[in-house]
Amino acid sequence: MPKNSIQFQKGFSIPVFMQMYGTEMQCRERLFNIRWKNGYVCPNCASKSYCELKSRSLYQCNKCHHQTSLTAGTLFSHSKLPLTSWFLAIYLITQDKNSISALELKRKLGVSYNTAWRIKHKLMQVMKEHDDNRKLGNIVQLDDAYIGGKQKGKRGRGAKGKTPFVSAISLNEEGHPIYMRLSVVSCFKKQEITDWAKKHLQEKTLVISDGLPCFNGLLAADIIHGSLSKNGKELHQYEAAFYWVDTMIGNVKNSIKGTYHAIREKHIPRYLGEFCFRFNYRFRVEDIFNTLIKCGAKSPPMPEKLLTLAESRW
Ligand SMILES: [Zn+2]
């Protein structure tokens, strides 16, 4: 049997990680190189001449005396944690097949639950923002899906307490899944789908969906849209047309259920964003670590207040 190229790809082992980022100095060097690839530049006057105030871990401009810390203006600012803990958290979040809950992160990092929760949510937020910048194109399978809620009774469409989300997966010419996007929506209405498509799909993308009327909203976003209905004669074709999107909806639900006992409705967009980010980097396990470090270095600070507010839907 041929080996699965994703499962058997060369990993990013714990010993290699520890060798690269086991000390604070190594993590600081990495962050410095991401922030100032061509050497330090004063954020105040753009001078390149600076000195390091080692006792306070600050860089001071020789021209205007402006002082900056290595983490100022990044996701890692205002944190008492050493960078080694941040790097280890990023390693754990990106390298485990099913991610890691805040509770597990607390145990592995040896920090309080609140600290682990903040790290986890800040990182999930930057994963989501990074992924949202890439519009899906080519051929896209699209479906409506629901997650969460505990009420018994009706399942799926129209069920109470469930959070609706758009599930989209882009395919290459061979029909293999490439990128995925899962976005919480307020409802499945035509205008909502038009707005979603304008933000997340390239123009002229070919989208296949079922016959739910809201998907007619795709046309207003300059999308080429074909729909299939589920009836006896074409059931086989129908299932084939939605194979990947249906599989991914099942996977995300199982993964969230397996890793997290319960997630709050207002945080669902972030969890879906994390799932997509990891899926979209599944061919490159070391890249996913490097990308998330870079996202953290380039992301503005994220006060806890922002994390506890309901996330904007898309
Ligand atoms: Zn300066």
Side-chain angles (χ1 to χ4, degrees):
M1 208 170 88
K3 282 183 177 177
N4 180 310
S5 60
I6 297 174
Q7 286 170 356
F8 281 86
Q9 65 182 307
K10 197 167 160 280
F12 183 25
S13 69
I14 296 173
V16 171
F17 168 77
M18 290 309 292
Q19 215 175 13
M20 290 174 79
Y21 302 113
T23 70
E24 192 65 9
M25 185 57 78
Q26 288 171 312
C27 297
R28 286 183 65 86
E29 259 177 41
R30 180 65 203 276
L31 188 55
F32 185 95
N33 289 332
I34 294 171
R35 294 199 68 189
W36 299 295
K37 203 166 61 178
N38 301 312
Y40 180 82
V41 179
C42 170
N44 190 44
C45 75
S47 166
K48 290 190 160 192
S49 170
Y50 74 101
C51 59
E52 209 175 328
L53 308 178
K54 292 214 163 141
S55 57
R56 294 170 59 206
S57 287
L58 292 172
Y59 303 107
Q60 180 172 291
C61 173
N62 284 338
K63 201 172 158 192
C64 73
H65 305 294
H66 180 84
Q67 294 180 344
T68 319
S69 79
L70 178 61
T71 56
T74 75
L75 189 73
F76 314 117
S77 66
H78 309 297
S79 170
K80 289 184 183 132
L81 282 182
L83 281 175
T84 45
S85 297
W86 276 103
F87 276 50
L88 181 55
I90 290 174
Y91 178 82
L92 294 169
I93 285 173
T94 57
Q95 300 301 306
D96 192 285
K97 188 168 172 266
N98 288 312
S99 191
I100 181 169
S101 65
L103 197 60
E104 193 61 22
L105 206 54
K106 161 198 173 317
R107 293 186 190 117
K108 293 224 159 105
L109 295 180
V111 297
S112 70
Y113 177 76
N114 283 348
T115 301
W117 188 93
R118 274 197 301 273
I119 295 174
K120 169 84 180 164
H121 279 257
K122 284 183 181 187
L123 291 172
M124 286 200 297
Q125 182 64 25
V126 291
M127 286 190 247
K128 179 183 181 303
E129 288 174 9
H130 173 82
D131 235 29
D132 279 351
N133 287 330
R134 181 198 293 119
K135 286 188 171 188
L136 304 187
N138 205 28
I139 303 164
V140 168
Q141 290 182 358
L142 191 67
D143 208 354
D144 61 311
Y146 299 82
I147 194 164
K150 283 183 178 168
Q151 285 100 327
K152 287 181 181 169
K154 192 175 176 188
R155 295 163 67 106
R157 281 174 199 168
K160 277 188 184 168
K162 302 267 181 198
T163 301
F165 67 97
V166 172
S167 180
I169 187 151
S170 69
L171 310 177
N172 64 10
E173 302 301 331
E174 287 80 42
H176 296 142
I178 304 298
Y179 295 122
M180 181 167 60
R181 175 70 33 80
L182 305 171
S183 317
V184 170
V185 287
S186 60
C187 59
F188 284 103
K189 288 199 171 151
K190 210 168 152 183
Q191 188 59 48
E192 188 89 344
I193 294 300
T194 304
D195 295 342
W196 176 86
K198 282 181 180 166
K199 181 166 180 196
H200 292 288
L201 299 179
Q202 295 168 24
E203 286 174 10
K204 310 291 181 205
T205 296
L206 171 62
V207 174
I208 313 290
S209 76
D210 65 15
L212 199 65
C214 67
F215 292 134
N216 293 327
L218 290 165
L219 297 173
D222 211 4
I223 300 299
I224 303 163
H225 177 220
S227 65
L228 284 172
S229 54
K230 198 175 191 172
N231 63 41
K233 272 188 201 163
E234 292 164 357
L235 192 59
H236 178 70
Q237 278 170 301
Y238 182 90
E239 283 171 355
F242 298 108
Y243 175 77
W244 283 115
V245 73
D246 285 348
T247 303
M248 295 324 301
I249 292 171
N251 286 353
V252 70
K253 286 183 181 176
N254 288 338
S255 172
I256 286 178
K257 214 156 118 190
T259 309
Y260 313 103
H261 290 299
I263 57 179
R264 294 182 69 180
E265 189 186 351
K266 66 179 180 179
H267 299 317
I268 288 175
R270 222 173 267 145
Y271 286 94
L272 294 179
E274 179 196 23
F275 188 85
C276 290
F277 182 87
R278 293 155 54 76
F279 178 85
N280 293 338
Y281 276 92
R282 68 201 179 283
F283 295 117
R284 298 159 287 166
V285 286
E286 196 169 335
D287 268 7
I288 188 174
F289 171 83
N290 289 326
T291 303
L292 195 48
I293 294 272
K294 283 183 197 162
C295 288
K298 288 171 184 172
S299 163
M302 205 179 287
E304 187 171 352
K305 215 165 34 174
L306 281 183
L307 293 174
T308 50
L309 291 174
E311 163 60 21
S312 65
R313 294 194 306 278
W314 330 309

PDB file of all heavy atoms in Angstrom, residues 200-230:
ATOM      1  N   HIS A 200     -14.343  36.127   0.460  1.00  0.00           N
ATOM      2  CA  HIS A 200     -13.552  34.891   0.554  1.00  0.00           C
ATOM      3  C   HIS A 200     -13.301  34.160  -0.761  1.00  0.00           C
ATOM      4  O   HIS A 200     -12.533  33.206  -0.782  1.00  0.00           O
ATOM      5  CB  HIS A 200     -14.231  33.922   1.533  1.00  0.00           C
ATOM      6  CG  HIS A 200     -14.183  34.402   2.952  1.00  0.00           C
ATOM      7  ND1 HIS A 200     -13.022  34.397   3.688  1.00  0.00           N
ATOM      8  CD2 HIS A 200     -15.140  34.934   3.750  1.00  0.00           C
ATOM      9  CE1 HIS A 200     -13.268  34.883   4.897  1.00  0.00           C
ATOM     10  NE2 HIS A 200     -14.541  35.222   4.955  1.00  0.00           N
ATOM     11  N   LEU A 201     -13.953  34.582  -1.838  1.00  0.00           N
ATOM     12  CA  LEU A 201     -13.739  33.862  -3.106  1.00  0.00           C
ATOM     13  C   LEU A 201     -13.178  34.800  -4.172  1.00  0.00           C
ATOM     14  O   LEU A 201     -13.558  35.977  -4.235  1.00  0.00           O
ATOM     15  CB  LEU A 201     -15.059  33.275  -3.617  1.00  0.00           C
ATOM     16  CG  LEU A 201     -15.772  32.251  -2.733  1.00  0.00           C
ATOM     17  CD1 LEU A 201     -17.071  31.804  -3.402  1.00  0.00           C
ATOM     18  CD2 LEU A 201     -14.896  31.038  -2.446  1.00  0.00           C
ATOM     19  N   GLN A 202     -12.316  34.246  -5.015  1.00  0.00           N
ATOM     20  CA  GLN A 202     -11.847  35.023  -6.163  1.00  0.00           C
ATOM     21  C   GLN A 202     -12.979  35.107  -7.181  1.00  0.00           C
ATOM     22  O   GLN A 202     -13.793  34.180  -7.266  1.00  0.00           O
ATOM     23  CB  GLN A 202     -10.649  34.312  -6.809  1.00  0.00           C
ATOM     24  CG  GLN A 202      -9.432  34.247  -5.904  1.00  0.00           C
ATOM     25  CD  GLN A 202      -8.372  33.298  -6.442  1.00  0.00           C
ATOM     26  OE1 GLN A 202      -8.310  33.022  -7.636  1.00  0.00           O
ATOM     27  NE2 GLN A 202      -7.541  32.796  -5.550  1.00  0.00           N
ATOM     28  N   GLU A 203     -12.986  36.191  -7.947  1.00  0.00           N
ATOM     29  CA  GLU A 203     -14.019  36.313  -8.981  1.00  0.00           C
ATOM     30  C   GLU A 203     -13.887  35.165  -9.979  1.00  0.00           C
ATOM     31  O   GLU A 203     -12.790  34.673 -10.210  1.00  0.00           O
ATOM     32  CB  GLU A 203     -13.858  37.646  -9.719  1.00  0.00           C
ATOM     33  CG  GLU A 203     -14.328  38.814  -8.877  1.00  0.00           C
ATOM     34  CD  GLU A 203     -14.039  40.144  -9.543  1.00  0.00           C
ATOM     35  OE1 GLU A 203     -13.645  40.159 -10.717  1.00  0.00           O
ATOM     36  OE2 GLU A 203     -14.211  41.166  -8.858  1.00  0.00           O
ATOM     37  N   LYS A 204     -15.000  34.778 -10.554  1.00  0.00           N
ATOM     38  CA  LYS A 204     -15.063  33.715 -11.575  1.00  0.00           C
ATOM     39  C   LYS A 204     -14.743  32.324 -11.026  1.00  0.00           C
ATOM     40  O   LYS A 204     -14.480  31.400 -11.797  1.00  0.00           O
ATOM     41  CB  LYS A 204     -14.120  33.991 -12.764  1.00  0.00           C
ATOM     42  CG  LYS A 204     -14.232  35.366 -13.362  1.00  0.00           C
ATOM     43  CD  LYS A 204     -15.542  35.559 -14.080  1.00  0.00           C
ATOM     44  CE  LYS A 204     -15.621  36.962 -14.690  1.00  0.00           C
ATOM     45  NZ  LYS A 204     -16.997  37.419 -14.865  1.00  0.00           N
ATOM     46  N   THR A 205     -14.697  32.188  -9.718  1.00  0.00           N
ATOM     47  CA  THR A 205     -14.513  30.843  -9.157  1.00  0.00           C
ATOM     48  C   THR A 205     -15.742  30.007  -9.513  1.00  0.00           C
ATOM     49  O   THR A 205     -16.863  30.525  -9.542  1.00  0.00           O
ATOM     50  CB  THR A 205     -14.376  30.944  -7.614  1.00  0.00           C
ATOM     51  OG1 THR A 205     -13.191  31.669  -7.332  1.00  0.00           O
ATOM     52  CG2 THR A 205     -14.292  29.583  -6.958  1.00  0.00           C
ATOM     53  N   LEU A 206     -15.511  28.732  -9.803  1.00  0.00           N
ATOM     54  CA  LEU A 206     -16.640  27.845 -10.083  1.00  0.00           C
ATOM     55  C   LEU A 206     -17.055  27.185  -8.764  1.00  0.00           C
ATOM     56  O   LEU A 206     -16.266  26.468  -8.147  1.00  0.00           O
ATOM     57  CB  LEU A 206     -16.216  26.769 -11.094  1.00  0.00           C
ATOM     58  CG  LEU A 206     -17.224  25.642 -11.322  1.00  0.00           C
ATOM     59  CD1 LEU A 206     -18.539  26.181 -11.900  1.00  0.00           C
ATOM     60  CD2 LEU A 206     -16.647  24.578 -12.252  1.00  0.00           C
ATOM     61  N   VAL A 207     -18.276  27.468  -8.341  1.00  0.00           N
ATOM     62  CA  VAL A 207     -18.744  26.946  -7.052  1.00  0.00           C
ATOM     63  C   VAL A 207     -19.866  25.939  -7.265  1.00  0.00           C
ATOM     64  O   VAL A 207     -20.812  26.195  -8.016  1.00  0.00           O
ATOM     65  CB  VAL A 207     -19.252  28.087  -6.145  1.00  0.00           C
ATOM     66  CG1 VAL A 207     -19.881  27.531  -4.868  1.00  0.00           C
ATOM     67  CG2 VAL A 207     -18.102  29.016  -5.772  1.00  0.00           C
ATOM     68  N   ILE A 208     -19.736  24.796  -6.601  1.00  0.00           N
ATOM     69  CA  ILE A 208     -20.801  23.790  -6.646  1.00  0.00           C
ATOM     70  C   ILE A 208     -21.456  23.741  -5.279  1.00  0.00           C
ATOM     71  O   ILE A 208     -20.766  23.596  -4.258  1.00  0.00           O
ATOM     72  CB  ILE A 208     -20.225  22.369  -6.919  1.00  0.00           C
ATOM     73  CG1 ILE A 208     -19.221  22.385  -8.087  1.00  0.00           C
ATOM     74  CG2 ILE A 208     -21.338  21.360  -7.166  1.00  0.00           C
ATOM     75  CD1 ILE A 208     -19.820  22.626  -9.431  1.00  0.00           C
ATOM     76  N   SER A 209     -22.761  23.900  -5.249  1.00  0.00           N
ATOM     77  CA  SER A 209     -23.465  23.816  -3.968  1.00  0.00           C
ATOM     78  C   SER A 209     -24.730  22.990  -4.160  1.00  0.00           C
ATOM     79  O   SER A 209     -25.061  22.601  -5.284  1.00  0.00           O
ATOM     80  CB  SER A 209     -23.855  25.214  -3.477  1.00  0.00           C
ATOM     81  OG  SER A 209     -24.969  25.679  -4.221  1.00  0.00           O
ATOM     82  N   ASP A 210     -25.429  22.778  -3.058  1.00  0.00           N
ATOM     83  CA  ASP A 210     -26.743  22.151  -3.213  1.00  0.00           C
ATOM     84  C   ASP A 210     -27.770  23.243  -3.569  1.00  0.00           C
ATOM     85  O   ASP A 210     -27.389  24.385  -3.817  1.00  0.00           O
ATOM     86  CB  ASP A 210     -27.132  21.347  -1.959  1.00  0.00           C
ATOM     87  CG  ASP A 210     -27.313  22.225  -0.738  1.00  0.00           C
ATOM     88  OD1 ASP A 210     -27.427  23.464  -0.894  1.00  0.00           O
ATOM     89  OD2 ASP A 210     -27.359  21.687   0.381  1.00  0.00           O
ATOM     90  N   GLY A 211     -29.024  22.889  -3.564  1.00  0.00           N
ATOM     91  CA  GLY A 211     -30.036  23.822  -4.073  1.00  0.00           C
ATOM     92  C   GLY A 211     -30.580  24.806  -3.040  1.00  0.00           C
ATOM     93  O   GLY A 211     -31.617  25.435  -3.281  1.00  0.00           O
ATOM     94  N   LEU A 212     -29.917  24.965  -1.911  1.00  0.00           N
ATOM     95  CA  LEU A 212     -30.405  25.913  -0.900  1.00  0.00           C
ATOM     96  C   LEU A 212     -30.500  27.318  -1.534  1.00  0.00           C
ATOM     97  O   LEU A 212     -29.517  27.787  -2.119  1.00  0.00           O
ATOM     98  CB  LEU A 212     -29.430  25.917   0.289  1.00  0.00           C
ATOM     99  CG  LEU A 212     -29.937  26.466   1.608  1.00  0.00           C
ATOM    100  CD1 LEU A 212     -31.068  25.607   2.166  1.00  0.00           C
ATOM    101  CD2 LEU A 212     -28.793  26.526   2.640  1.00  0.00           C
ATOM    102  N   PRO A 213     -31.682  27.978  -1.447  1.00  0.00           N
ATOM    103  CA  PRO A 213     -31.878  29.224  -2.206  1.00  0.00           C
ATOM    104  C   PRO A 213     -30.826  30.302  -1.937  1.00  0.00           C
ATOM    105  O   PRO A 213     -30.477  31.072  -2.827  1.00  0.00           O
ATOM    106  CB  PRO A 213     -33.259  29.702  -1.737  1.00  0.00           C
ATOM    107  CG  PRO A 213     -33.954  28.476  -1.244  1.00  0.00           C
ATOM    108  CD  PRO A 213     -32.895  27.562  -0.734  1.00  0.00           C
ATOM    109  N   CYS A 214     -30.306  30.381  -0.723  1.00  0.00           N
ATOM    110  CA  CYS A 214     -29.343  31.456  -0.400  1.00  0.00           C
ATOM    111  C   CYS A 214     -28.110  31.412  -1.304  1.00  0.00           C
ATOM    112  O   CYS A 214     -27.486  32.440  -1.548  1.00  0.00           O
ATOM    113  CB  CYS A 214     -28.915  31.380   1.058  1.00  0.00           C
ATOM    114  SG  CYS A 214     -27.941  29.925   1.434  1.00  0.00           S
ATOM    115  N   PHE A 215     -27.768  30.232  -1.826  1.00  0.00           N
ATOM    116  CA  PHE A 215     -26.555  30.145  -2.652  1.00  0.00           C
ATOM    117  C   PHE A 215     -26.711  30.872  -3.988  1.00  0.00           C
ATOM    118  O   PHE A 215     -25.723  31.093  -4.694  1.00  0.00           O
ATOM    119  CB  PHE A 215     -26.136  28.675  -2.855  1.00  0.00           C
ATOM    120  CG  PHE A 215     -25.663  28.027  -1.574  1.00  0.00           C
ATOM    121  CD1 PHE A 215     -26.103  26.763  -1.196  1.00  0.00           C
ATOM    122  CD2 PHE A 215     -24.776  28.692  -0.736  1.00  0.00           C
ATOM    123  CE1 PHE A 215     -25.668  26.181  -0.014  1.00  0.00           C
ATOM    124  CE2 PHE A 215     -24.334  28.117   0.457  1.00  0.00           C
ATOM    125  CZ  PHE A 215     -24.789  26.856   0.819  1.00  0.00           C
ATOM    126  N   ASN A 216     -27.940  31.242  -4.348  1.00  0.00           N
ATOM    127  CA  ASN A 216     -28.116  32.087  -5.541  1.00  0.00           C
ATOM    128  C   ASN A 216     -27.447  33.445  -5.353  1.00  0.00           C
ATOM    129  O   ASN A 216     -27.184  34.158  -6.317  1.00  0.00           O
ATOM    130  CB  ASN A 216     -29.603  32.290  -5.846  1.00  0.00           C
ATOM    131  CG  ASN A 216     -30.240  30.974  -6.279  1.00  0.00           C
ATOM    132  OD1 ASN A 216     -29.582  30.152  -6.908  1.00  0.00           O
ATOM    133  ND2 ASN A 216     -31.494  30.765  -5.912  1.00  0.00           N
ATOM    134  N   GLY A 217     -27.165  33.796  -4.114  1.00  0.00           N
ATOM    135  CA  GLY A 217     -26.470  35.055  -3.817  1.00  0.00           C
ATOM    136  C   GLY A 217     -25.046  35.071  -4.359  1.00  0.00           C
ATOM    137  O   GLY A 217     -24.414  36.124  -4.429  1.00  0.00           O
ATOM    138  N   LEU A 218     -24.529  33.917  -4.760  1.00  0.00           N
ATOM    139  CA  LEU A 218     -23.159  33.856  -5.292  1.00  0.00           C
ATOM    140  C   LEU A 218     -23.033  34.651  -6.594  1.00  0.00           C
ATOM    141  O   LEU A 218     -22.000  35.250  -6.866  1.00  0.00           O
ATOM    142  CB  LEU A 218     -22.771  32.394  -5.560  1.00  0.00           C
ATOM    143  CG  LEU A 218     -22.572  31.539  -4.300  1.00  0.00           C
ATOM    144  CD1 LEU A 218     -22.569  30.058  -4.665  1.00  0.00           C
ATOM    145  CD2 LEU A 218     -21.264  31.910  -3.605  1.00  0.00           C
ATOM    146  N   LEU A 219     -24.102  34.642  -7.397  1.00  0.00           N
ATOM    147  CA  LEU A 219     -24.030  35.299  -8.708  1.00  0.00           C
ATOM    148  C   LEU A 219     -23.738  36.790  -8.572  1.00  0.00           C
ATOM    149  O   LEU A 219     -22.986  37.357  -9.351  1.00  0.00           O
ATOM    150  CB  LEU A 219     -25.348  35.082  -9.474  1.00  0.00           C
ATOM    151  CG  LEU A 219     -25.645  33.605  -9.781  1.00  0.00           C
ATOM    152  CD1 LEU A 219     -27.035  33.451 -10.396  1.00  0.00           C
ATOM    153  CD2 LEU A 219     -24.581  33.023 -10.719  1.00  0.00           C
ATOM    154  N   ALA A 220     -24.280  37.404  -7.543  1.00  0.00           N
ATOM    155  CA  ALA A 220     -24.057  38.839  -7.331  1.00  0.00           C
ATOM    156  C   ALA A 220     -22.612  39.137  -6.950  1.00  0.00           C
ATOM    157  O   ALA A 220     -22.179  40.292  -6.954  1.00  0.00           O
ATOM    158  CB  ALA A 220     -25.006  39.350  -6.245  1.00  0.00           C
ATOM    159  N   ALA A 221     -21.856  38.102  -6.610  1.00  0.00           N
ATOM    160  CA  ALA A 221     -20.438  38.305  -6.268  1.00  0.00           C
ATOM    161  C   ALA A 221     -19.538  37.875  -7.429  1.00  0.00           C
ATOM    162  O   ALA A 221     -18.350  37.654  -7.254  1.00  0.00           O
ATOM    163  CB  ALA A 221     -20.091  37.511  -5.011  1.00  0.00           C
ATOM    164  N   ASP A 222     -20.135  37.767  -8.621  1.00  0.00           N
ATOM    165  CA  ASP A 222     -19.386  37.393  -9.823  1.00  0.00           C
ATOM    166  C   ASP A 222     -18.768  35.995  -9.738  1.00  0.00           C
ATOM    167  O   ASP A 222     -17.619  35.768 -10.123  1.00  0.00           O
ATOM    168  CB  ASP A 222     -18.290  38.441 -10.102  1.00  0.00           C
ATOM    169  CG  ASP A 222     -18.028  38.547 -11.606  1.00  0.00           C
ATOM    170  OD1 ASP A 222     -18.743  37.876 -12.373  1.00  0.00           O
ATOM    171  OD2 ASP A 222     -17.111  39.263 -11.997  1.00  0.00           O
ATOM    172  N   ILE A 223     -19.533  35.095  -9.208  1.00  0.00           N
ATOM    173  CA  ILE A 223     -19.094  33.701  -9.061  1.00  0.00           C
ATOM    174  C   ILE A 223     -19.882  32.851 -10.060  1.00  0.00           C
ATOM    175  O   ILE A 223     -21.060  33.107 -10.305  1.00  0.00           O
ATOM    176  CB  ILE A 223     -19.399  33.205  -7.613  1.00  0.00           C
ATOM    177  CG1 ILE A 223     -18.658  34.063  -6.582  1.00  0.00           C
ATOM    178  CG2 ILE A 223     -19.096  31.721  -7.448  1.00  0.00           C
ATOM    179  CD1 ILE A 223     -17.166  34.051  -6.679  1.00  0.00           C
ATOM    180  N   ILE A 224     -19.216  31.854 -10.629  1.00  0.00           N
ATOM    181  CA  ILE A 224     -19.929  30.932 -11.532  1.00  0.00           C
ATOM    182  C   ILE A 224     -20.501  29.822 -10.654  1.00  0.00           C
ATOM    183  O   ILE A 224     -19.749  29.141  -9.940  1.00  0.00           O
ATOM    184  CB  ILE A 224     -18.968  30.340 -12.584  1.00  0.00           C
ATOM    185  CG1 ILE A 224     -18.304  31.482 -13.362  1.00  0.00           C
ATOM    186  CG2 ILE A 224     -19.707  29.387 -13.523  1.00  0.00           C
ATOM    187  CD1 ILE A 224     -17.069  31.066 -14.124  1.00  0.00           C
ATOM    188  N   HIS A 225     -21.803  29.676 -10.692  1.00  0.00           N
ATOM    189  CA  HIS A 225     -22.437  28.810  -9.701  1.00  0.00           C
ATOM    190  C   HIS A 225     -23.229  27.682 -10.353  1.00  0.00           C
ATOM    191  O   HIS A 225     -24.033  27.910 -11.252  1.00  0.00           O
ATOM    192  CB  HIS A 225     -23.377  29.661  -8.820  1.00  0.00           C
ATOM    193  CG  HIS A 225     -24.125  28.856  -7.818  1.00  0.00           C
ATOM    194  ND1 HIS A 225     -25.451  29.084  -7.515  1.00  0.00           N
ATOM    195  CD2 HIS A 225     -23.744  27.810  -7.046  1.00  0.00           C
ATOM    196  CE1 HIS A 225     -25.836  28.214  -6.597  1.00  0.00           C
ATOM    197  NE2 HIS A 225     -24.823  27.433  -6.300  1.00  0.00           N
ATOM    198  N   GLY A 226     -22.976  26.474  -9.896  1.00  0.00           N
ATOM    199  CA  GLY A 226     -23.788  25.343 -10.334  1.00  0.00           C
ATOM    200  C   GLY A 226     -24.348  24.658  -9.103  1.00  0.00           C
ATOM    201  O   GLY A 226     -23.669  24.567  -8.078  1.00  0.00           O
ATOM    202  N   SER A 227     -25.596  24.213  -9.177  1.00  0.00           N
ATOM    203  CA  SER A 227     -26.144  23.530  -7.997  1.00  0.00           C
ATOM    204  C   SER A 227     -26.686  22.158  -8.381  1.00  0.00           C
ATOM    205  O   SER A 227     -27.101  21.929  -9.516  1.00  0.00           O
ATOM    206  CB  SER A 227     -27.237  24.378  -7.339  1.00  0.00           C
ATOM    207  OG  SER A 227     -28.327  24.501  -8.210  1.00  0.00           O
ATOM    208  N   LEU A 228     -26.636  21.278  -7.416  1.00  0.00           N
ATOM    209  CA  LEU A 228     -27.141  19.921  -7.619  1.00  0.00           C
ATOM    210  C   LEU A 228     -28.191  19.645  -6.568  1.00  0.00           C
ATOM    211  O   LEU A 228     -28.045  20.072  -5.415  1.00  0.00           O
ATOM    212  CB  LEU A 228     -26.011  18.903  -7.422  1.00  0.00           C
ATOM    213  CG  LEU A 228     -24.977  18.755  -8.529  1.00  0.00           C
ATOM    214  CD1 LEU A 228     -23.854  17.858  -8.051  1.00  0.00           C
ATOM    215  CD2 LEU A 228     -25.613  18.175  -9.781  1.00  0.00           C
ATOM    216  N   SER A 229     -29.226  18.928  -6.963  1.00  0.00           N
ATOM    217  CA  SER A 229     -30.205  18.598  -5.933  1.00  0.00           C
ATOM    218  C   SER A 229     -30.100  17.111  -5.610  1.00  0.00           C
ATOM    219  O   SER A 229     -29.677  16.301  -6.439  1.00  0.00           O
ATOM    220  CB  SER A 229     -31.612  18.966  -6.392  1.00  0.00           C
ATOM    221  OG  SER A 229     -31.850  18.352  -7.633  1.00  0.00           O
ATOM    222  N   LYS A 230     -30.496  16.807  -4.382  1.00  0.00           N
ATOM    223  CA  LYS A 230     -30.334  15.427  -3.908  1.00  0.00           C
ATOM    224  C   LYS A 230     -31.591  14.641  -4.276  1.00  0.00           C
ATOM    225  O   LYS A 230     -32.588  14.715  -3.588  1.00  0.00           O
ATOM    226  CB  LYS A 230     -30.176  15.487  -2.391  1.00  0.00           C
ATOM    227  CG  LYS A 230     -29.594  14.258  -1.772  1.00  0.00           C
ATOM    228  CD  LYS A 230     -29.397  14.537  -0.282  1.00  0.00           C
ATOM    229  CE  LYS A 230     -28.583  13.467   0.371  1.00  0.00           C
ATOM    230  NZ  LYS A 230     -28.250  13.832   1.745  1.00  0.00           N
TER     231      LYS A 230
END
